[in-house]
Amino acid sequence: MSWLWCDRECSGCAFVNVCDLAGRSDGVYRCAGNFHCKISGSAVDFVNDCGFCDFRIHVWRLSQDELSRLLSWFEDVKPLRVRFIDLPELVPIVSLRDKSFVRVLKSCGLEAVIVPFTDLLDADVLRRVVREDVHFYLEFGGKVILSSIMPDFLLISDKLFKFFCEVALAGGFDAVIGWDVPVYVDYPMYWSWVNLVKGLELTYRLADLKIPVIALVKGNTAGQIRFCLDVLSKMGFKNYALHASEYLVNFKFDPYARNTLYRYAGEMSSRIDNLLVVGALNPSALRFVREVFRGVKTVSFAGLSYYLDARRFAVYLNGRVIRLLRKYLKCSCPSCSKVDSQQLLESVESRASHNLLQLKSILNGGSAYTYELYDLVVESGETALIASDVHAWTPESKFEDFISLIYRYSPSHLVLLGDVFDFRFGSPSFYELTLLFNALRDVKCSVHLVGGCSDGDLTDFLRIMDELVFRDAAPPLTYAAEQGNLEEEHSKSRALINFYKLYRQARDELLMLLPNNVTVKAIHGHQIVENPKEKLETIKKLMIEHKAAEGVDWLIIGHVHRAFIDYDEG
């Protein structure tokens, strides 16, 4: 077991009869910090005082006599009369510091949630929860469980443990998760055992609260896991939990993390009937945990991934995780049916509700919801203005008329089908950029750009950017204090950033959904019609063929500089 190290020799160690390293330790610990230093003797003070690495070891400082008393007490411990709590399969973690979770709870029909104790370290939140009861605070009638999982440095405080117990009672929580402790594979094995036995003692003491305690099984070796389960079983606990976050983050590429989960499953399968797995609330983790712990009769899944993923615009769709940064979602789930596609893009809570409902669907045996992804969805009551071939920066451009059109119609969505600016023949200036982005800010519409034949080449775009950026900068570059009109300079900088964002988000084509499920493919058109001066009959023929191949109701192109519409052919 070359990944395990200890700063103690086995002779005289309190854990010699249960430790996986018994008889193998030479008293040398290899630090898990940046330099992997070898440390002889007690490593805790050496590591925690080290100024070179950020790695720290958080432990309970127990004497040999205290350890001996605890180990002896475990041998004859009296079983507790701990109440059982029946948990549903889905038990998400929610935050007390973000009231948007209240709306998530209402929209998903949840039966139980977990609250992090660290949220109650906020004085205002604590005051309200204690005064009102946590159920009233969350506007939630289901079961609310207080979690002890928190940063390591907080876990080794007697004062914090006492405070945790007081808050659990005063806040009206329905259950607590047994006391968490740092038991890491990269800690010295001796101190890992010290934390483990102290955590078992504190979990036992939580039973004094007279509410259900979900015992947290800890350990990173087969011996630690087995010892922990033995003691918790003797203590009489009826509910069990596993904090699997770190294992599940790494299980795909770290064999030790994966095998540790298999060890837990092997020990638990024949010994416990229920398990709450914390950190398993995303599709891949859920499927993996279900498979690994199939020997446990009832497995519940907890975590915050559904919300963290929603914050980064990721949604769960039939077991997959898809980011909506450039996509609109039409989904039949109850959450999505209450909001339009634009709101789903803008609202974290809508995406979080969607993710929870998708997870419930997976747990029920598959997805009962249908979905489609589009580049733009125009909802009933919204408008879209479609324009192309403005060719700004050229003498022939009617750019100011185009800006007036935006103000006149004030659309919900602005669709630009290429050649808005002319990178090949135009003379770049900030005037047009400022006009366009001021109009977009005033109208507050979403903007969707398709690259054209005059503004779709990245090399040409970078050349235009260089010309604008370096227009007033004579070589060599200097970075002295800014001179001149600072407001004008800041306005130019803002215009450049917006110009960059606009064109870096450009697509080759847009698939749109209109009300009444009308589908539209919108492209610049040079991919279909090479010569923009081609006869209209030829252009229409090419468009009809392309539309049929794409399977859409309508095809819209620019490029040909002639306006026409055929209602019969779409």
Side-chain angles (χ1 to χ4, degrees), residues 14-15 17-20 67 70-75 192-201 217-219 221-235 267 271:
F15 304 109
N17 294 324
V18 291
C19 181
D20 303 76
L67 289 174
L70 275 177
L71 291 171
S72 297
W73 175 62
F74 291 155
E75 291 290 329
S192 180
W193 275 103
V194 169
N195 282 348
L196 178 62
V197 299
K198 183 63 177 180
L200 290 168
E201 179 207 1
V217 184
K218 301 292 293 186
T221 66
Q224 287 183 337
I225 296 167
R226 191 177 305 116
F227 178 85
C228 187
L229 276 169
D230 286 343
V231 174
L232 291 173
S233 179
K234 284 183 179 180
M235 289 178 172
E267 292 294 333
R271 305 184 60 176

Side-chain angles (χ1 to χ4, degrees), residues 429-445:
S429 76
F430 282 97
Y431 173 73
E432 288 84 356
L433 295 181
T434 302
L435 276 184
L436 175 62
F437 295 119
N438 282 346
L440 297 180
R441 273 189 290 270
D442 291 341
V443 172
K444 297 179 177 61
C445 58

Side-chain angles (χ1 to χ4, degrees), residues 270-564:
S270 59
R271 305 184 60 176
I272 64 175
D273 293 326
N274 67 85
L275 179 65
L276 173 67
V277 183
V278 181
L281 221 49
N282 65 65
S284 61
L286 190 150
R287 287 193 298 267
F288 179 72
V289 168
R290 253 191 163 179
E291 174 63 24
V292 171
F293 290 92
R294 61 185 181 276
V296 178
K297 183 179 179 181
T298 303
V299 179
S300 299
F301 301 86
L304 192 59
S305 295
Y306 74 96
Y307 182 78
L308 299 178
D309 283 337
R311 288 187 61 177
R312 65 182 188 92
F313 296 92
V315 295
Y316 304 155
L317 297 171
N318 288 1
R320 297 186 298 154
V321 180
I322 296 177
R323 298 193 73 187
L324 293 183
L325 285 176
R326 304 182 65 192
K327 290 290 183 181
Y328 284 69
L329 173 66
K330 290 294 287 185
C331 173
S332 65
C333 80
S335 175
C336 293
S337 63
K338 296 176 184 176
V339 298
D340 61 40
S341 300
Q342 189 68 33
Q343 285 177 287
L344 191 62
L345 280 176
E346 296 172 354
S347 167
V348 176
E349 65 193 65
S350 295
R351 295 192 296 274
S353 298
H354 165 91
N355 286 347
L356 281 175
L357 290 172
Q358 286 288 325
L359 291 167
K360 287 180 74 172
S361 178
I362 293 172
L363 289 171
N364 290 333
S367 179
Y369 310 121
T370 59
Y371 75 91
E372 293 175 323
L373 292 171
Y374 296 92
D375 301 312
L376 172 61
V377 174
V378 182
E379 302 282 358
S380 179
E382 293 183 334
T383 57
L385 175 62
I386 302 176
S388 73
D389 297 277
V390 181
H391 288 276
W393 296 334
T394 64
E396 299 82 7
S397 175
K398 298 183 181 295
F399 188 80
E400 291 183 351
D401 291 341
F402 168 60
I403 297 299
S404 297
L405 202 65
I406 294 175
Y407 278 111
R408 177 183 172 186
Y409 288 104
S410 294
S412 310
H413 309 282
L414 177 62
V415 179
L416 303 173
L417 296 186
D419 291 358
V420 180
F421 292 87
D422 197 314
F423 296 168
R424 294 191 296 178
F425 304 110
S427 299
S429 76
F430 282 97
Y431 173 73
E432 288 84 356
L433 295 181
T434 302
L435 276 184
L436 175 62
F437 295 119
N438 282 346
L440 297 180
R441 273 189 290 270
D442 291 341
V443 172
K444 297 179 177 61
C445 58
S446 71
V447 185
H448 308 269
L449 175 66
V450 171
C453 52
S454 295
D455 65 354
D457 184 80
L458 179 59
T459 301
D460 287 340
F461 170 69
L462 292 175
R463 178 179 54 79
I464 294 295
M465 284 291 291
D466 286 347
E467 188 171 336
L468 291 167
V469 169
F470 295 110
R471 174 165 296 176
D472 301 321
L477 285 176
T478 60
Y479 294 91
E482 293 184 1
Q483 304 293 326
N485 189 331
L486 294 183
E487 184 176 345
E488 181 182 348
E489 289 302 314
H490 291 162
S491 176
K492 289 181 177 180
S493 297
R494 188 166 61 247
L496 281 171
I497 291 172
N498 288 327
F499 183 56
Y500 178 84
K501 288 179 178 178
L502 176 66
Y503 272 92
R504 291 299 285 154
Q505 290 289 319
R507 305 170 187 268
D508 295 327
E509 59 185 28
L510 283 176
L511 177 62
M512 301 189 292
L513 180 69
L514 305 186
N516 299 321
N517 292 319
V518 175
T519 55
V520 179
K521 176 64 69 68
I523 58 179
H524 178 61
H526 61 293
Q527 309 94 324
I528 302 173
V529 183
E530 185 174 347
N531 179 11
K533 297 181 180 180
E534 190 66 75
K535 293 180 180 180
L536 278 181
E537 290 78 9
T538 303
I539 292 172
K540 286 177 63 175
K541 180 176 181 295
L542 293 170
M543 289 181 66
I544 290 170
E545 291 174 354
H546 188 82
K547 170 179 167 287
E550 293 294 318
V552 293
D553 299 313
W554 281 87
L555 175 66
I556 302 176
I557 69 169
H559 183 53
V560 298
H561 292 210
R562 284 165 284 176
F564 67 90

